Amino acid sequence: MAVLFAQDFTSATARRRQVASGAVRELGRGIWTDEVDDDPAEVVSRHWRTIVGATMPGAVITGRTGFDLHPVDGQLFVSHSRATPLSLPGLTVYPDGRGDWRSPDDI
């Protein structure tokens, strides 16, 4: 059971066939899962690290969620150059739109 991205499919046609057959469900733009029997919000809750890591490489958790290092009340704030929020079932990731402000000692 996994979260899938466009590169995980052999082609767009293969992806469309899997979605049409019910083997795969879309979670958000460019993000799918083969955990079709589970609630989409629960799937996102289990795999949010993988999703954020793949869609916003190098992002650092900041702001109100920086102390907890996980989403709080369905929100996650990150430092990343992306300008638009990522909306998923049960989670919205808010990037700050800045460049790379990471320090070598950031974890």
Side-chain angles (χ1 to χ4, degrees):
M1 303 281 185
V3 173
L4 306 167
F5 302 94
Q7 65 269 16
D8 296 323
F9 297 95
T10 56
S11 68
T13 303
R15 183 186 66 238
R16 284 191 294 271
R17 285 183 184 147
Q18 288 187 6
V19 170
S21 72
V24 172
R25 175 194 312 186
E26 186 173 23
L27 294 173
R29 185 172 185 217
I31 306 165
W32 297 267
T33 184
D34 59 359
E35 299 176 18
V36 295
D37 294 330
D38 294 344
D39 177 41
E42 290 179 20
V43 174
V44 170
S45 177
R46 284 193 300 269
H47 299 288
W48 69 267
R49 289 174 191 85
T50 302
I51 294 169
V52 173
T55 58
M56 298 180 202
V60 175
I61 300 174
T62 61
R64 295 185 282 185
T65 54
F67 292 109
D68 297 319
L69 296 178
H70 61 80
V72 175
D73 297 327
Q75 299 179 340
L76 182 69
F77 295 88
V78 298
S79 181
H80 188 267
S81 59
R82 180 178 170 141
T84 58
L86 173 62
S87 295
L88 300 165
L91 176 66
T92 302
V93 182
Y94 295 98
D96 60 11
R98 297 181 184 175
D100 189 356
W101 294 97
R102 293 177 292 162
S103 299
D105 60 340
D106 282 344
I107 58 170

